C-alpha cells in the first residue's frame, strides 16, 4: 500500500493543478449540467417552505468551488 504525505505544500500543488482551466467547453458543460435538476428543486422548496433562495444559491456555489478545488471535480449537491 503506497504511503501518501499530506504536507501543506503538496496539498497546495494539488489545488493549483485542479484549478487549471483545461477546456472551456468542458468547464461550461460541467457548470450547466446539473441546473436542469437543481433549479426546479430549489425553486419549489423556496416557494413551498420559505427557503431563503439567496443563501441557498450562495452556499451551493461555495460548496462547488471548494470541492472542485480540492478534488478536481465539482460534486453535485442535489439528490438524484
Amino acid at each position: 500500500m503506497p504511503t501518501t504525505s499530506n504536507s501543506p505544500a503538496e496539498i497546495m500543488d494539488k489545488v493549483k493543478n485542479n484549478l487549471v482551466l483545461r477546456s472551456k467547453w468542458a468547464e461550461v458543460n460541467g457548470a450547466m449540467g446539473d441546473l436542469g435538476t437543481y433549479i426546479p428543486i430549489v425553486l419549489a422548496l423556496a416557494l413551498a417552505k420559505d427557503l431563503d433562495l439567496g443563501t441557498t444559491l450562495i452556499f451551493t456555489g461555495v460548496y462547488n468551488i471548494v470541492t472542485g478545488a480540492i478534488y478536481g471535480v465539482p460534486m453535485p449537491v442535489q439528490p438524484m
Side-chain angles (χ1 to χ4, degrees):
M1 181 172 175
T3 59
T4 58
S5 174
N6 288 329
S7 69
E10 289 178 355
I11 292 172
M12 288 305 296
D13 286 340
K14 184 177 178 182
V15 169
K16 286 179 187 176
N17 185 40
N18 289 340
L19 292 176
V20 172
L21 183 64
R22 291 178 181 86
S23 168
K24 292 179 184 176
W25 290 113
E27 295 296 327
V28 170
N29 185 27
M32 301 298 170
D34 294 326
L35 292 180
T37 307
Y38 180 69
I39 288 179
I41 290 172
V42 170
L43 289 177
L45 286 172
L47 293 172
K49 297 293 180 183
D50 296 326
L51 179 73
D52 185 13
L53 190 58
T55 303
T56 303
L57 293 176
I58 288 170
F59 282 104
T60 299
V62 169
Y63 178 78
N64 278 330
I65 291 168
V66 169
T67 58
I70 293 173
Y71 298 110
V73 177
M75 305 290 177
V77 295
Q78 79 276 5
M80 293 298 284

